[in-house]
Amino acid sequence: MQLKPDNMKNYLQKLIVLFLFASASAFAQIDEETKARNERIRQRWNRSLVDNQNYIFNKDANNLLAQTASSINPGSALCVAMGQGRNALYLAKKGWVVSGFDLADEALAYAQKEAKQNNLSLHTEIASFDTYSYGSSKWDLITWLYGGCLQIEGIVPKLREALVPGGLFVFEFFHRDAGVEMGRSDFGCEENSIKQMFEEAGGFQVLLYEEKEGIADYGMKPNKLIYMVVSKL
Ligand SMILES: C[S@@+](CC[C@H](N)C(=O)[O-])C[C@H]1O[C@@H](n2cnc3c(N)ncnc32)[C@H](O)[C@@H]1O
């Protein structure tokens, strides 16, 4: 059957409307899924970091961060997924101008309360990894501590853009072997995966990269961990 030009136009118009409608509902569904995921994260971490007094984590600053920060002059720092602020507060006490974001609003409120009590200032924002505006040549130091394996589309180039030349990025998280030992085979970062992301993106120098046993800040037990410090060239 051959369509007349008028019928063809009609048919195409209907097809376009149908396509736009399908795309709009697909986007709406993704949006709903993201909202639900963020809400689960918000509740889970508010509970663990603020409400649950028995939740075991290191309330002092991360050791790799403390070592790294002590070797450079204070400047501007961004704490990604900063939680209840243990690292952000440590840096602020050492004279850094500190910003941080997280989805856990009560954890951020806790950090702000601690900051006020200690006459410190923190810039905090409720945001997620993928929506936060990391900025351009803005940070002397970015921390990504116990915030997962950087599985966010385009994140490494964003981090490179956000750091000043010579700025440092400090990372620590569980190795995949630790996940497997915990019976969580998809938890923890795969061997070399984090270093590879920075090498493939380019524009960084790897100053430290180790995969070894250590006491994890979360759980406070010996686990295989990944430690990394890179600087932006
Ligand atoms: C294990 S805690 C680590 C907190 C802090 N970095 C520290 O070292 O104490 C993980 C944090 O990541 C945050 N988080 C998880 N998914 C996130 C996301 N998509 N965007 C922003 N923060 C997120 C949680 O709310 C939680 O505060």
Side-chain angles (χ1 to χ4, degrees):
M1 185 188 73
Q2 257 205 321
L3 288 173
K4 287 187 187 153
D6 266 6
N7 285 351
M8 175 73 107
K9 200 173 145 201
N10 240 333
Y11 176 73
L12 281 175
Q13 275 172 347
K14 277 186 188 147
L15 213 63
I16 289 168
V17 169
L18 212 69
F19 173 75
L20 291 177
F21 181 74
S23 311
S25 15
F27 275 123
Q29 198 186 340
I30 291 170
D31 207 44
E32 283 310 307
E33 281 168 14
T34 305
K35 266 195 215 155
R37 186 209 60 187
N38 288 355
E39 179 56 16
R40 281 196 300 276
I41 292 170
R42 185 184 80 81
Q43 289 188 18
R44 192 253 141 118
W45 287 104
N46 278 340
R47 206 166 46 238
S48 296
L49 298 176
V50 185
D51 303 338
N52 182 355
Q53 300 304 311
N54 298 320
Y55 186 72
I56 298 170
F57 68 105
N58 177 14
K59 299 196 175 63
D60 294 328
N62 171 264
N63 208 24
L64 177 62
L65 171 64
Q67 273 175 32
T68 307
S70 71
S71 67
I72 47 175
N73 290 328
S76 58
L78 170 66
C79 293
V80 171
M82 63 175 272
Q84 47 73 278
R86 64 189 183 110
N87 299 311
L89 291 160
Y90 172 85
L91 290 171
K93 271 182 204 147
K94 297 281 177 191
W96 289 77
V97 177
V98 187
S99 297
F101 71 89
D102 203 291
L103 284 170
D105 54 340
E106 287 168 26
L108 294 181
Y110 177 93
Q112 284 292 3
K113 197 179 84 198
E114 287 290 307
K116 278 207 181 72
Q117 280 172 4
N118 290 283
N119 277 323
L120 299 168
S121 168
L122 293 179
H123 309 274
T124 56
E125 196 176 314
I126 300 170
S128 80
F129 295 132
D130 43 358
T131 58
Y132 183 74
S133 292
Y134 293 82
S136 186
S137 282
K138 195 170 176 186
W139 312 105
D140 297 295
L141 176 66
I142 299 180
T143 73
W144 196 296
L145 299 162
Y146 291 88
C149 301
L150 303 162
Q151 294 305 308
I152 297 109
E153 183 76 30
I155 191 66
V156 178
K158 266 191 202 171
L159 294 170
R160 185 181 54 212
E161 177 66 26
L163 284 166
V164 300
L168 300 182
F169 176 77
V170 181
F171 175 93
E172 188 174 309
F173 197 59
F174 295 91
H175 191 281
R176 175 57 57 91
D177 289 355
V180 170
E181 225 171 76
M182 293 171 201
R184 299 169 67 188
S185 58
D186 60 349
F187 180 71
C189 314
E190 282 177 33
E191 193 170 318
N192 274 324
S193 59
I194 299 298
K195 183 158 70 114
Q196 250 166 24
M197 288 171 81
F198 285 77
E199 285 172 345
E200 276 165 19
F204 295 98
Q205 184 184 4
V206 179
L207 303 177
L208 175 129
Y209 184 81
E210 286 179 325
E211 299 185 352
K212 63 174 191 186
E213 284 285 309
I215 301 295
D217 280 356
Y218 280 79
M220 304 279 278
K221 287 188 185 144
N223 279 116
K224 190 161 176 186
L225 302 175
I226 295 179
Y227 303 89
M228 187 178 83
V229 181
V230 301
S231 68
K232 174 176 163 171
L233 293 173

